[in-house]
Amino acid sequence: MNNSFPREEGMDHSLSLLREGYMYIPNRKKSFASNIFETRLLGQSAICMSGEKAAELFYDEEKFMRNGVAPKRLQKTLFGEEGVQTLDDETHRHRKSMFMSLMTKGRLEVLHEITEVQWQLAAKKWEQVEQIILYDEAKEIMCRVACEWGGVSIKEEEFKEKAEQLAALFESPTALGPQHWKGRHARKQIEQWLGGLVKQVRDGSLNPPEGTALREISLHKDLEGKWLDEKVAAVEVANILRPIVAIAIYINFTALAIHHYPEQKEKLETAGAQYFQMFVQEVRRFYPFFPMAAAKVRKNFVWEGYSFKEGTLTLLDLYGTNHDAELWENPDVFNPYRFSGWDKSPFDFIPQGGGDYMMGHRCAGEFVTIEIMEVSLNYLVNHLTYQLPEQDLSYSLVSMPSIPKSGIIMKSVRVK
Ligand code: HEM
């Protein structure tokens, strides 16, 4: 059977994507009454897909590839060039296994401790001031965590600047004008800084602890037994530091959930570790972060009657799949309990991509994210008291990434 894709007519819909953000695919999924449709984006034909079956297809490495997919504006800000995101096949698996070797149980325990200490130090400072903006503070906490855990030692007075530069990489990709150029400039500065550190590790003048990102990436050998190009190694170290700083966004949404659902706060105060885990999962499912993942068709194939043509840009709807009513009962209700019976499918809950960590492009830092979020949630609920004054706590489903508008202003923060 041959199916033709529901098609969005018109020359190009890149502007609609920017205007509708997280809802671009879900809106069309609804109007076409289809989990799959064809459109034109970035001057080319593109397929958009949503849902568990679509995710399973998207992560089939024989059917899709990544090289040459990320648009320049993302490479110049968010990702950098020639990083693990752009690789395929054996080269990808080899580089990815180096990333995954940084995420051992022991290293996650170290991360847990570092995160706890950084929350304690930050909270002591907050007791001395009238109010804080959680987003700004969380970026700095996360920058400290990222550097210490990643084996990158920096001077005390540099943390604020580095946190801002790393954040500019994920705050700028879809921005226009100065905000976007700030991101491009920050990428140059970050790569120059990290490239210098990689060089020092290689010439022996810097000796970060074993198992840290800076050490392992600097000394990683490719399939030909050679070190990565210095610039590429810098891109990969940034691929660890930048997303850890980005967890500040999830910390903001965690605080928002605690505020919007006070009954949850009561439960958390008495609940055990399992409820903390479910709460963190629900924050990652419920709130927007990455709207979609992109790949291109590796070679012609037919799936459920639809013909996929080699080279076609294909987008998987991450946000929409996490809110798919066929997969999640009352998807727009915040309910951590839904995770008590979750079957752990690698394709229905995909805030950080789906499929297999080693074989595919699923986020290398998902365990890191969960660990840091659990520590942060515990700190917010069990170790701090604070008030939220009148402020704009709304968040957009258009701006990417979405962050609560006020950044969450907290007054009278005290350690319990
Ligand atoms: C890839 C989301 C945190 C490292 C990805 C992908 C998504 C994602 C959607 C792409 C999946 C795909 O292309 O199919 C997130 C979110 C995070 C987060 C929402 C929350 C802040 C982290 C952290 C790290 C990390 C903390 C490292 C410590 C990576 C790497 C890749 C990746 C290296 C590329 C993997 C590959 O191409 O094989 N992430 N991530 N991420 N993430 Fe994350």
Side-chain angles (χ1 to χ4, degrees):
M1 186 185 66
N2 246 338
N3 276 333
S4 53
F5 292 101
R7 187 191 305 266
E8 185 174 30
E9 296 301 339
M11 291 289 283
D12 196 86
H13 299 280
S14 309
L15 270 180
S16 310
L17 197 155
L18 282 181
R19 265 192 227 114
E20 294 172 56
Y22 295 91
M23 296 309 289
Y24 174 78
I25 300 179
N27 285 343
R28 281 149 191 78
K29 174 179 156 174
K30 197 166 166 203
S31 57
F32 289 127
S34 169
N35 272 341
I36 189 162
F37 65 91
E38 201 178 357
T39 183
R40 287 191 65 81
L41 295 169
L42 303 168
Q44 57 186 305
S45 177
I47 297 166
C48 298
M49 330 191 274
S50 190
E52 187 172 15
K53 274 180 11 190
E56 193 167 355
L57 174 70
F58 183 85
Y59 284 101
D60 181 340
E61 301 283 312
E62 285 182 11
K63 296 197 167 63
F64 291 95
M65 57 188 292
R66 301 302 181 102
N67 192 256
V69 172
K72 267 277 173 276
R73 74 170 19 240
L74 289 197
Q75 290 183 41
K76 295 281 179 194
T77 52
L78 187 65
F79 296 140
E81 286 158 297
E82 296 178 51
V84 62
Q85 293 93 340
T86 66
L87 304 178
D88 290 300
D89 307 319
E90 216 23 57
T91 326
H92 173 257
R93 284 191 287 276
H94 184 67
R95 185 93 56 92
K96 187 69 176 281
S97 69
M98 179 268 292
F99 271 96
M100 297 316 295
S101 76
L102 305 172
M103 318 294 172
T104 60
K105 195 164 171 278
R107 292 296 299 157
L108 290 176
E109 281 164 14
V110 172
L111 179 71
H112 185 110
E113 278 164 34
I114 294 173
T115 310
E116 254 175 14
V117 170
Q118 289 303 336
W119 269 100
Q120 282 159 10
L121 292 172
K124 277 209 186 97
K125 285 197 246 159
W126 300 343
E127 287 189 305
Q128 315 301 319
V129 295
E130 201 182 319
Q131 63 179 44
I132 58 149
I133 297 176
L134 180 65
Y135 182 53
D136 296 341
E137 299 293 323
K139 283 193 280 191
E140 197 184 320
I141 296 179
M142 286 303 112
C143 181
R144 289 171 184 276
V145 169
C147 289
E148 188 175 343
W149 188 69
V152 174
S153 53
I154 69 176
K155 294 197 194 96
E156 177 57 33
E157 61 271 22
E158 285 177 347
F159 277 113
K160 251 200 170 51
E161 185 194 35
K162 291 294 179 236
E164 279 311 315
Q165 286 173 356
L166 287 162
L169 305 181
F170 58 80
E171 288 170 348
S172 65
T174 62
L176 299 172
Q179 171 81 351
H180 179 70
W181 288 100
K182 186 177 163 195
R184 286 185 177 233
H185 184 57
R187 165 130 320 260
K188 283 193 191 131
Q189 290 172 309
I190 289 291
E191 285 181 13
Q192 211 172 21
W193 166 53
L194 294 175
L197 297 183
V198 167
K199 195 172 180 180
Q200 283 177 272
V201 175
R202 287 176 178 173
D203 70 20
S205 57
L206 201 63
N207 192 17
E210 245 173 64
T212 59
L214 179 59
R215 184 190 186 89
E216 303 306 328
I217 293 170
S218 301
L219 302 180
H220 172 74
K221 303 254 176 80
D222 66 15
L223 286 168
E224 288 165 9
K226 293 196 208 117
W227 280 336
L228 301 178
D229 180 87
E230 204 171 281
K231 188 169 180 296
V232 176
V235 165
E236 300 299 34
V237 179
N239 261 335
I240 295 290
L241 303 189
R242 179 202 70 248
I244 294 183
V245 175
I247 298 173
I249 298 179
Y250 270 153
I251 291 175
N252 246 36
F253 282 129
T254 302
L256 193 67
I258 295 169
H259 176 69
H260 277 158
Y261 309 105
E263 72 287 356
Q264 291 290 338
K265 183 161 189 275
E266 281 166 30
K267 262 185 220 157
L268 284 163
E269 278 165 353
T270 52
Q274 211 193 340
Y275 197 70
F276 271 73
Q277 280 162 21
M278 295 193 296
F279 188 96
V280 161
Q281 297 295 58
E282 182 66 346
V283 168
R284 295 195 309 128
R285 185 198 70 82
F286 186 78
Y287 292 102
F289 205 127
F290 269 84
M292 53 197 66
K296 71 180 181 195
V297 177
R298 191 186 275 267
K299 54 179 188 245
N300 291 349
F301 69 90
V302 176
W303 178 76
E304 302 212 336
Y306 296 106
S307 289
F308 287 69
K309 294 261 171 325
E310 183 176 331
T312 309
L313 175 66
T314 306
L315 302 180
L316 175 69
D317 180 18
L318 303 181
Y319 178 76
T321 302
N322 292 336
H323 288 257
D324 186 334
E326 280 175 30
L327 303 172
W328 306 100
E329 202 182 326
N330 298 323
D332 297 324
V333 171
F334 185 89
N335 174 20
Y337 276 117
R338 68 174 78 247
F339 281 98
S340 67
W342 178 52
D343 68 357
K344 299 204 166 115
S345 156
F347 301 112
D348 62 0
F349 173 49
I350 51 173
Q352 298 182 224
D356 185 73
Y357 296 101
M358 289 298 212
M359 302 300 287
H361 286 270
R362 189 182 187 124
C363 176
E366 199 160 8
F367 299 123
V368 165
T369 308
I370 294 170
E371 192 72 47
I372 289 179
M373 285 177 73
E374 283 177 16
V375 174
S376 304
L377 172 64
N378 182 39
Y379 210 82
L380 285 166
V381 170
N382 289 324
H383 296 279
L384 285 187
T385 62
Y386 51 83
Q387 287 153 16
L388 299 193
E390 195 72 19
Q391 59 187 293
D392 186 356
L393 289 170
S394 67
Y395 60 92
S396 161
L397 285 182
V398 173
S399 318
M400 299 174 282
S402 176
I403 303 159
K405 295 237 166 69
S406 63
I408 307 197
I409 302 165
M410 292 179 161
K411 273 180 95 147
S412 313
V413 182
R414 298 286 175 272
V415 179
K416 274 195 216 172

